[in-house]
Amino acid sequence: MPGETELTSAYSSKVADDLQHNVTEQERIRGEVARLTAELDELMHDHGVLLNLQQALQAGAAESGGQVPRQKAGKAGKARRGDKNSAAGKPTLVELIRHHLATSSAPCSASEVTTVLAEQHRDRHIQTTVVRTSLENLVAKGRAHRTKQGSSVFYTAATPAE
């Protein structure tokens, strides 16, 4: 049955070519996804920087007599970094993080905090890297505790006495 051998050989060759083409396309698409992911990461970083600049400009407008009211400094009402954002009446990210930690019954990872806050505050662009940095700053100030479990890091609120 020489015809079958030739047909099998032709199909085997075609399948091998198709497999090679498939692998090549997978590599091409992986490269494109990696490029797009890097571009998205860069855009997200730029967005965070621009949001910080916008907040700084709003705070500067408040200090220079702009339309945004500024909280008066007093013994009980002194505005501090990490407290309510007086510019728009919205809580700061740090305040949201502290509240989340204080109300959580279990230690939370930075990604868990980001996910919960992003769902609760869909109007805000909340990035895991910014949350992680904020959590580490809270740890440095003694307002949160860090624990490691293997390669994972979890955070809890510091007790008020601390």
Side-chain angles (χ1 to χ4, degrees), residues 97-127:
I97 292 169
R98 288 180 69 189
H99 180 263
H100 179 73
L101 290 179
T103 58
S104 293
S105 59
C108 305
S109 69
S111 63
E112 290 169 339
V113 173
T114 303
T115 300
V116 169
L117 294 181
E119 288 174 5
Q120 291 174 349
H121 303 276
R122 294 185 187 272
D123 60 323
R124 297 176 105 160
H125 178 71
I126 299 175
Q127 295 178 299

Side-chain angles (χ1 to χ4, degrees), residues 20-34:
Q20 181 58 44
H21 177 72
N22 184 287
V23 168
T24 302
E25 281 297 295
Q26 287 181 39
E27 291 172 359
R28 183 188 64 79
I29 290 173
R30 275 192 194 97
E32 185 70 11
V33 167

Side-chain angles (χ1 to χ4, degrees), residues 129-148:
T129 54
V130 177
V131 170
R132 185 176 295 110
T133 300
S134 299
L135 285 163
E136 288 299 325
N137 287 338
L138 288 171
V139 169
K141 293 176 182 176
R143 296 180 179 158
H145 296 291
R146 175 192 327 112
T147 55
K148 287 188 176 182

Side-chain angles (χ1 to χ4, degrees), residues 4-60:
E4 270 186 52
T5 307
E6 290 175 19
L7 188 59
T8 303
S9 178
Y11 277 123
S12 293
S13 177
K14 175 69 174 142
V15 168
D17 289 345
D18 288 349
L19 281 171
Q20 181 58 44
H21 177 72
N22 184 287
V23 168
T24 302
E25 281 297 295
Q26 287 181 39
E27 291 172 359
R28 183 188 64 79
I29 290 173
R30 275 192 194 97
E32 185 70 11
V33 167
R35 185 190 64 77
L36 289 171
T37 300
E39 188 175 332
L40 178 60
D41 288 345
E42 187 176 327
L43 286 171
M44 290 171 61
H45 175 266
D46 291 350
H47 186 264
V49 170
L50 290 170
L51 283 175
N52 288 338
L53 285 172
Q54 184 180 44
Q55 289 174 350
L57 289 171
Q58 288 174 346

